[in-house]
Amino acid sequence: SFEGFGLPASTYCPYAAIADSLGRVLLVDIRRRIIVKIWKGYREAQCSWILNFSRNTKPSDPKTPDLIIHLCLVIYAPRRGLLEIWHIRPVSIYREAIINVGLQCRLLSVLPSQPLNPYLGLPSPVSPNAK
C-alpha cells in the first residue's frame, strides 16, 4: 500500500516533495497537479527546501535584481548516509551536490519564516510603525 509522509511544500514556488513508503521521493507541481520527477531507492527519505542565492553577473535591465534566488530540494537518505541537493527549475532539475554525512541523522529545515522581497531576494523589511 502507498503511504506518503514528510510533505514539505515550498512557500517560494509551486512544488511539494513527498517521500513515500515505497522508497520514492516525488516532486509534485501543485499548480498543474502533476508529478514532475520521481527518485527511486530513497527508503525513509527526509526532504527539505533551501534557497541558493547568486549574483546576477549579466543584468540586461537596470530593474533586474542583483541577487538571483534558486530553489533547491534537499533529500537525506538515512540508509545510505547521503545528503543530496537538487537544483529545481521549471525547465531542468539537476543534482548540484552529494555529501556523505553519515547514517541515521536527521534533516532540519531552516527556511526564513517571512516572505522574501522579490526584488532584492532578501526577507521583506518590516516597517517600524507596523503593529
Side-chain angles (χ1 to χ4, degrees):
S1 73
F2 173 83
E3 182 181 331
F5 51 91
L7 295 164
S10 170
T11 57
Y12 306 101
C13 78
Y15 296 112
I18 302 170
D20 70 13
S21 59
L22 302 175
R24 301 176 299 192
V25 174
L26 294 80
L27 180 65
V28 179
D29 184 325
I30 297 170
R31 289 183 189 155
R32 296 187 299 162
R33 298 180 185 166
I34 61 169
I35 296 172
V36 177
K37 181 158 179 71
I38 299 174
W39 291 269
K40 295 181 180 179
Y42 289 82
R43 298 262 179 236
E44 302 170 10
Q46 300 166 32
C47 301
S48 185
W49 298 102
I50 60 171
L51 299 175
N52 183 4
F53 297 91
S54 64
R55 291 232 173 257
N56 186 1
T57 58
K58 301 176 187 176
S60 57
D61 180 5
K63 295 181 181 178
T64 303
D66 292 334
L67 289 176
I68 300 172
I69 304 169
H70 303 283
L71 183 72
C72 295
L73 174 63
V74 179
I75 303 173
Y76 172 61
R79 291 189 179 192
R80 295 188 280 170
L82 296 177
L83 186 73
E84 297 183 6
I85 301 173
W86 290 83
H87 200 113
I88 307 297
R89 287 187 176 173
V91 294
S92 67
I93 299 169
Y94 60 90
R95 184 166 51 196
E96 194 164 296
I98 184 166
I99 305 163
N100 188 354
V101 294
L103 301 173
Q104 303 305 322
C105 296
R106 296 287 297 164
L107 182 63
L108 302 176
S109 180
V110 292
L111 279 179
S113 59
Q114 56 181 291
L116 294 180
N117 179 322
Y119 183 73
L120 298 175
L122 300 171
S124 297
V126 177
S127 169
N129 298 330
K131 294 183 182 180

